[in-house]
Each structure stands twice: as C-alpha cells, then as structure tokens.
Amino acid sequence: MQFDDDADLDTSEVRDVRGSRIPGGKATVGGGIVGFIALILGLLFGVGPEQLGLTSGDPAPVATSSSAAQIEQTCRTGADANTREDCRIVAVVNSVQDFWRAEYERRGGRYGDARTVMFSNRVGTACGSATSAVGPFYCPGDRQVYLDLGFFDELRTTFGSTGGPFAQAYVVAHEYGHHVQNMMGTLARAQDGRTGANSNAVRVELQADCYAGVWARHATTTPDEKTGRPLLTNLTEADIRDGLDAAAAVGDDRIQEKFQGRVTPENWTHGSAAQRRQWFATGFRTGDMARCNTFG
C-alpha cells in the first residue's frame, strides 16, 4: 500500500484530540467488564455507542498542553503517510472521501464530507461519551468517525488479524460506509433493536463492508482533487488479503467463540467471518455500490 509521495494531505478532514480531556464529563462506557461486554456484543466497527445505552451526554473533548503533536504539523504529504501511522489514516480518509465525492457526482448527487476524530482513552460525541473499549465507530448525530489508533494493535493481538496498513484502511473505509448509509437513510434500519444472523443490524454492517470493498476497487484510479493524480498509487494482492483477514477477524462467530466459547447466531450484530469476507470481496470485485444490497 503506497501513497503518492508528492501529494498534499488535507488534514482538515481529520481532527486530532489525542491527549485531550472531557471537562466535567464522566464516560459510562468504561474498561474492565463493561468494555468487555461491549466487545462481546459486537460494537466493534459499528455506529454510535448509544445503541447499547452506555453513554452520557458529555461535551466534546478539549485539547490540553499534553496533547499529542497535531497532525497538521506532521502530516503534510503522501511521503508522511508512507512513514507514519496517523498520517496514513489522514491519507486514507482523503482517498475514501475523494472516491465518494466522485461517485455521488457521477450519480447526480452531492456527497457531504465527514471528519474523522482521532482520540485516546475516551471521547465525547453527539451520540454520547465512549471509551476506546468500544472500538472505531461512526456517530450519525455529528456525522463523524471516531478512532483510537490503539485499536489497530487490538485487532492484531486480541482478534488475530494479520494487521498491516491496509487492514487499517479497511477499518476506516468501513466506517465511511456507515456515513454513506446515513446519507442514504439506510443506517436507521439498524436501530430497531433486533439482533441475529438475518437482522437489519447485520445487514447494515455487511453493506458497510461491501462499500469498503468498492472504495478499494477504485482507490488507485480515483484522482486527488488537488493533483489530479490518485493519492493511493499501489495496492497489492497482499494488501487485499490483509483487508479480508481483518474483516473476518471481527466476525461475530469468531468473537463469540473466543470470548464466550460458543457461537450464538441469535445474538449477532455484525455477521459471521465468512459473510464479512464475502461482502468486502463483492464490493472489491464489482466496484459497484449497487451490488451491495445486503437487504435484497
């Protein structure tokens, strides 16, 4: 996975609040047993943590003097994205949104940008307060993706993914799939409170996997708005395998087997490992969002 060294990164699409604090707030999604339950219930790669009722109306985080180095100072070019993890996330966000802007325009619509917020430990959102325990998520209330970079270590060490830069890109692209669903009115289908292999919750997640695959198919041919050249210049078969492996690693059946010792499909919220691989592969193979109809 390689980015154009000479490309300028647009850091306005990513907000860096790592090392910040939430003034006066008290997160109700915590570590320990609560965080463990959140993982078991499949909140990973999902939409806002309010779905489990584990949030409070905490305000947005405020930067402190101990905040990490801000990305606008360190993530300037594609060369930075090829050497730094946080800059890579900026580049992936840029690439994903370049694609969806072009796709919406091609279809006669208009894409609405969504920022990614990089945080550490906990964060306040329009969907409530959450800690890193819930994994990456999209909040439809403020139309932002939330991501603690520490999750990528968990994806590899806890969930058994092979990891790699494109596994990270898959996670980001999946969350932006939820943003597309929110714009289309599809995302609300997941909020009927039902679980199970055929639930809307699972169908929404599988569709987001498919949308991630669609982006991956076009990533190396989508021109950057500033340079006219693709921001992502090289994507190998090994990269795609890493993406497929990451999708499978967070399948409901694998998570349940690992943490509770048995598989209970009636409690699924994201789909099986095989389903997640299948729908990412469908998106990548066809490159057509119309083929991502998991509700059909």
Side-chain angles (χ1 to χ4, degrees), residues 169-295:
Y170 155 71
V171 172
V172 174
H174 173 100
E175 295 307 330
Y176 274 90
H178 286 313
H179 177 56
V180 171
Q181 291 171 325
N182 190 38
M183 292 179 59
M184 297 176 66
T186 311
L187 191 58
R189 295 191 186 189
Q191 298 174 347
D192 59 9
R194 299 177 183 177
T195 62
N198 296 315
S199 66
N200 285 336
V202 167
R203 295 179 190 275
V204 161
E205 295 299 331
L206 296 179
Q207 187 177 63
D209 283 336
C210 188
Y211 286 164
V214 171
W215 161 74
R217 176 72 178 192
H218 297 284
T220 58
T221 59
T222 299
D224 179 71
E225 293 182 344
K226 294 181 179 178
T227 67
R229 303 186 306 269
L231 177 57
L232 184 60
T233 59
N234 187 41
L235 200 58
T236 67
E237 290 184 5
D239 290 325
I240 298 304
R241 286 197 296 271
D242 284 343
L244 289 168
D245 188 73
V250 288
D252 282 323
D253 52 343
R254 288 200 184 178
I255 292 175
Q256 289 177 339
E257 180 67 34
K258 183 177 183 64
F259 289 103
Q260 66 184 31
R262 67 186 188 282
V263 176
T264 53
E266 65 272 15
N267 295 325
W268 286 4
T269 58
H270 286 65
S272 69
Q275 286 176 314
R276 301 201 72 165
R277 286 178 58 94
Q278 173 196 336
W279 281 104
F280 176 84
T282 295
F284 183 72
R285 184 182 71 253
T286 66
D288 183 1
M289 66 181 299
R291 300 290 294 273
C292 295
N293 182 16
T294 56
F295 294 88

Side-chain angles (χ1 to χ4, degrees), residues 1-134:
M1 182 178 178
Q2 187 79 16
F3 295 96
D4 178 2
D5 282 342
D6 298 323
D8 292 328
L9 300 184
D10 183 0
T11 56
S12 70
E13 294 186 351
V14 178
R15 183 181 177 211
D16 186 0
V17 298
R18 291 172 293 173
S20 302
R21 61 183 175 80
I22 302 177
K26 181 180 180 182
T28 56
V29 180
I33 188 63
V34 176
F36 179 76
I37 293 172
L39 292 174
I40 295 301
L41 292 178
L43 197 56
L44 290 173
F45 286 27
V47 293
E50 80 285 356
Q51 287 186 337
L52 294 182
L54 299 175
T55 65
S56 64
D58 290 342
V62 172
T64 69
S65 58
S66 62
S67 294
Q70 295 297 295
I71 55 171
E72 59 265 25
Q73 300 299 321
T74 56
C75 302
R76 297 180 179 274
T77 68
D80 296 325
N82 289 323
T83 57
R84 289 180 57 103
E85 182 181 55
D86 51 0
C87 299
R88 183 187 306 130
I89 299 305
V90 175
V92 171
V93 170
N94 290 172
S95 175
V96 169
Q97 298 211 106
D98 281 345
F99 167 70
W100 285 116
R101 287 188 203 101
E103 181 66 8
Y104 265 71
E105 183 176 353
R106 187 179 71 83
R107 292 174 175 270
R110 183 176 180 181
Y111 173 78
D113 287 2
R115 284 202 300 182
T116 286
V117 178
M118 290 193 295
F119 72 99
S120 55
N121 298 320
R122 63 172 178 161
V123 67
T125 82
C127 298
S129 175
T131 73
S132 301
V134 304

